[in-house]
Amino acid sequence: MLAELSPKLVVEVHHAAKLLAASSRICVLTGAGISAESGIPTFRDKQTGLWEQYRAEDLATCTAFARDPQLVWSWYQWRRQLVHNKMPNSAHYALAQWQQDTEVYKQHLTLITQNVDDLHEQAGSTATHLHGHLWRNRCSQCDVLYNSPLDTQSTGQSQRLNSIASDDDKLIKCTHCGGYMRPDIVWFGEVLPVQAWQTAESAAANCEVFISIGTSSLVYPAAGLAQLARQNGAKIIEINPNPTPNTVVDITLAEKAGIVMPLLLKQIDGLLQR
Ligand code: APR
């Protein structure tokens, strides 16, 4: 594996591992790029098929839903179908393993994600979701969560089945107020969930190392977490094969997360077990 990487990257991974092994409070922010190797297109990827003519930024808004709820609902049903059979990749698994190891290593790792998929949870992580959950629905008027008969039966997997079961694209009405159900996702221009944002701010402000993985760092307020961490003295590591506008990065690991994360974890393990 190491032989396939550039010498510069090998040095940087080692540098990052040393920094992380010496830190006790770590905050990780993930974005769509971490799920790209699982086959889920990122937001800035061009859309395909029926949806080629639309931009995600134009559909994921309250205004779009108010104007044409059917269009926006159908788009999310399509996205759910894109995602429903996708599995975590080696980056999700490495993060989950690390979260479990932190108890042994007396580290504390807070995982914050902008992703609405549940691949972190499927891999075994506990993650704070800043932008909501693809598999949940709530009323667009009274906010009540949609509770289907399948949801009440068992686990999160049933919520996935429920969402797919409604792939006839028919809008669902709220049994309380008659409003249309919408995905429980934070759309452009909407406020982030208070509890999730407090967790993220506190973890970023109090960490020694902040790691940004697979995010374009374009969408605020999430993109400001790295700056907050830096202002409070943290070192910043970025894992992304492409450059981003994040200007506070100390260590750039310019490679896919699925390649870097297992390698990084292996090196941290090696250093901490000595
Ligand atoms: N490993 C790491 N990074 C990757 C990989 C990979 N295998 N593949 C792509 N990337 C990077 C891209 O270079 C890009 O910088 O992932 C980033 C994905 O960027 P976006 O699509 O903008 O996703 P994200 O930053 O999560 O978007 C933020 O914007 O649309 C809203 O609410 C939505 O949560 C989303 C938010």
Side-chain angles (χ1 to χ4, degrees):
M1 166 74 81
L2 276 177
E4 294 163 22
L5 303 178
S6 74
K8 182 169 181 281
L9 184 64
V10 172
V11 170
E12 293 289 83
V13 170
H14 190 61
H15 185 182
K18 271 178 41 187
L19 180 63
L20 288 162
S23 306
S24 52
R25 294 181 316 278
I26 294 148
C27 179
V28 178
L29 173 70
T30 65
I34 197 169
S35 297
E37 288 159 84
S38 295
I40 301 177
T42 69
F43 285 90
R44 307 311 126 186
D45 283 344
K46 198 170 175 341
Q47 302 211 92
T48 53
L50 281 179
W51 298 97
E52 204 169 354
Q53 55 179 311
Y54 296 98
R55 290 167 67 234
E57 293 91 328
D58 297 332
L59 292 168
T61 69
C62 281
T63 319
F65 189 74
R67 190 175 46 227
D68 192 344
Q70 184 65 70
L71 178 79
V72 174
W73 181 255
S74 298
W75 181 59
Y76 276 103
Q77 290 298 80
W78 174 75
R79 289 188 71 86
R80 285 166 172 163
Q81 286 183 50
L82 264 186
V83 172
H84 88 278
N85 59 357
K86 301 297 187 281
M87 306 289 287
N89 63 54
S90 49
H92 296 104
Y93 284 119
L95 270 172
Q97 185 62 54
W98 191 8
Q99 238 182 359
Q100 280 160 31
D101 292 349
T102 50
E103 283 181 28
V104 181
Y105 295 146
K106 307 244 177 313
Q107 291 183 311
H108 185 79
L109 189 156
T110 307
L111 174 57
I112 314 289
T113 186
Q114 297 167 89
N115 297 345
V116 296
D117 66 50
D118 59 359
L119 298 190
H120 282 307
E121 285 81 2
Q122 278 197 59
S125 278
T126 304
T128 295
H129 286 257
L130 289 181
H131 293 169
H133 302 266
L134 182 62
W135 303 105
R136 282 200 215 150
N137 296 300
R138 65 179 163 86
C139 177
S140 57
Q141 283 181 24
C142 73
D143 266 350
V144 72
L145 274 179
Y146 177 60
N147 199 7
S148 87
L150 276 170
D151 286 346
T152 51
Q153 276 170 21
S154 58
T155 60
Q157 191 65 22
S158 69
Q159 293 184 23
R160 294 181 135 212
L161 290 173
N162 167 51
S163 298
I164 297 306
S166 55
D167 71 356
D168 59 4
D169 279 3
K170 201 162 168 276
L171 283 162
I172 302 171
K173 281 202 172 171
C174 174
T175 49
H176 296 263
C177 75
Y180 287 128
M181 286 292 162
R182 55 165 279 183
D184 189 19
I185 285 176
V186 181
W187 283 337
F188 287 103
E190 290 189 310
V191 177
L192 268 49
V194 174
Q195 185 70 53
W197 180 246
Q198 279 173 358
T199 302
E201 264 194 327
S202 161
N206 292 300
C207 69
E208 292 159 71
V209 185
F210 182 95
I211 316 179
S212 172
I213 308 177
T215 173
S216 56
S217 296
L218 288 172
V219 177
Y220 282 79
L225 289 170
Q227 288 151 27
L228 176 66
R230 182 62 183 268
Q231 280 158 16
N232 286 279
K235 294 283 185 198
I236 315 294
I237 298 172
E238 183 175 70
I239 301 175
N240 195 319
N242 301 305
T244 75
N246 189 343
T247 53
V248 294
V249 177
D250 296 290
I251 303 177
T252 302
L253 305 177
E255 194 29 286
K256 291 178 177 174
I259 294 176
V260 171
M261 278 312 298
L263 202 58
L264 191 59
L265 186 67
K266 199 166 162 217
Q267 295 205 8
I268 295 168
D269 272 346
L271 289 163
L272 287 170
Q273 279 167 11
R274 270 187 208 157

